[in-house]
Amino acid sequence: MTKDLPELADGNFYYETLGGGRFRSTVHAQGAWNVHEQHMAPASGLLADSLERHEPRTGMRMARLSYEILGLIPGGEFHIETTTLRPGRTIELLQAELIAGTRVAIRATAWRMVTSDTSAVAAIEDAAIPAPEECQPYDGPSVWPGGYIRSLEMRAADGHRPGAGKVWLRTGHPLTDKADSGDLARLIGLVDTANGIAARVPPGKDSYAFPNLDLQIHMYRRPAGEWLGLDNAVSFGADGIGLTSTVLHDLQGPFGRAEQILTLRRS
């Protein structure tokens, strides 16, 4: 039996702001595994935006975001609750929960850390990837269904293959109808796409499903701009568990890493 489709908002953005921490998703936030769910990517961007707005402090920034996906993320209306779990003068731990009905669908925590001038010892080991203009258009919707994937512009570097690839992506849609989110939330709202850009096996019938149960993001630099680059590798173990590992880039270069643990299931 087909699950009833949710009532979605209408507009060229991912979420309608309803006030009081409440939101309603549009078709552009639609997931790839089921038509009645949200994609984790824009949902994680909205949670990052809520965390960044929570009791902001000058001279501090979020350096790690950890998302636990506690079940299917329903499309339609939901609300977000944000709190401080561990206050501190130089380090704080924040939490945001996306709650659909009475169920927490995503729980996000973020370490916010004091910043200082360490330019004298700054160094990065992650290698740069070809710029977007050096890459070719990548047709994501030919691999994945859903409104979120259709909302993206994607470009792939030479050598793209099942299991590994270098892909740039951006979106013309703001996170909300207010269009007032910053670069960090916009780029974080694209990171979860990493699990699908170089799938080891094609998704769909008579293959495997490989949804991620989490998303862990570590940032040694605050990202900026509209393009997100993903230098991506996907590993499948022999006992039903996989891992997607990604170096994250903006147009200035690498800025962090993401990891996603996968559950592998015959479809």
Side-chain angles (χ1 to χ4, degrees):
M1 185 176 75
T2 302
K3 184 177 178 62
D4 291 338
L5 295 180
E7 181 180 348
L8 301 178
D10 184 31
N12 289 321
F13 42 82
Y14 292 105
Y15 298 102
E16 177 186 12
T17 306
L18 303 177
R22 295 180 302 118
F23 301 89
R24 181 180 290 115
S25 64
T26 69
V27 69
H28 305 301
Q30 184 185 51
W33 296 110
N34 297 287
V35 296
H36 52 274
E37 69 177 341
Q38 293 183 54
H39 198 288
M40 175 61 181
S44 60
L46 190 63
L47 286 164
D49 194 40
S50 297
L51 288 162
E52 190 162 41
R53 294 175 189 270
H54 179 68
E55 300 176 356
R57 291 174 55 189
T58 302
M60 300 186 79
R61 73 165 176 89
M62 289 190 293
R64 192 222 64 183
L65 285 157
S66 179
Y67 297 89
E68 308 300 337
I69 306 170
L70 303 178
L72 184 143
I73 310 164
E77 189 172 336
F78 59 92
H79 71 280
I80 292 177
E81 294 183 1
T82 311
T83 57
T84 300
L85 295 179
R86 190 270 195 194
R89 185 174 60 85
T90 60
I91 299 172
E92 293 182 331
L93 183 63
L94 312 178
Q95 176 178 280
E97 294 181 326
L98 187 154
I99 303 168
T102 60
R103 182 178 67 84
V104 178
I106 309 170
R107 179 172 292 122
T109 55
W111 281 111
R112 186 158 61 190
M113 303 167 63
V114 70
T115 59
S116 63
D117 183 4
T118 54
S119 56
V121 293
I124 296 172
E125 296 293 339
D126 293 323
I129 62 175
E133 59 269 22
E134 301 172 39
C135 302
Q136 298 300 314
Y138 178 68
D139 186 10
S142 68
V143 181
W144 291 98
Y148 168 69
I149 299 299
R150 292 194 300 269
S151 77
L152 303 176
E153 177 186 353
M154 307 177 76
R155 291 179 163 269
D158 290 344
H160 190 275
R161 62 172 176 81
K166 299 175 177 64
V167 171
W168 288 96
L169 55 155
R170 66 178 174 180
T171 177
H173 300 315
L175 266 178
T176 73
D177 53 326
K178 293 184 179 297
D180 61 352
S181 302
D183 288 357
L184 176 70
R186 176 172 55 250
L187 294 176
I188 293 299
L190 299 171
V191 172
D192 189 73
T193 320
N195 191 36
I197 64 162
R200 295 207 67 85
V201 296
K205 188 178 180 181
D206 299 324
S207 183
Y208 283 85
F210 41 93
N212 52 303
L213 307 185
D214 74 341
L215 173 63
Q216 311 294 327
I217 301 172
H218 295 78
M219 297 174 287
Y220 45 75
R221 175 173 64 79
R222 183 182 177 88
E226 61 178 3
W227 282 103
L228 177 71
L230 304 171
D231 188 352
N232 179 256
V234 183
S235 300
F236 284 179
D239 62 351
I241 298 173
L243 179 68
T244 295
S245 301
T246 309
V247 179
L248 305 173
H249 301 250
D250 62 12
L251 293 182
Q252 299 175 43
F255 68 83
R257 292 174 175 252
E259 301 285 338
Q260 297 156 288
I261 200 70
L262 317 178
T263 175
L264 311 180
R265 305 167 182 172
R266 288 290 300 183
S267 58

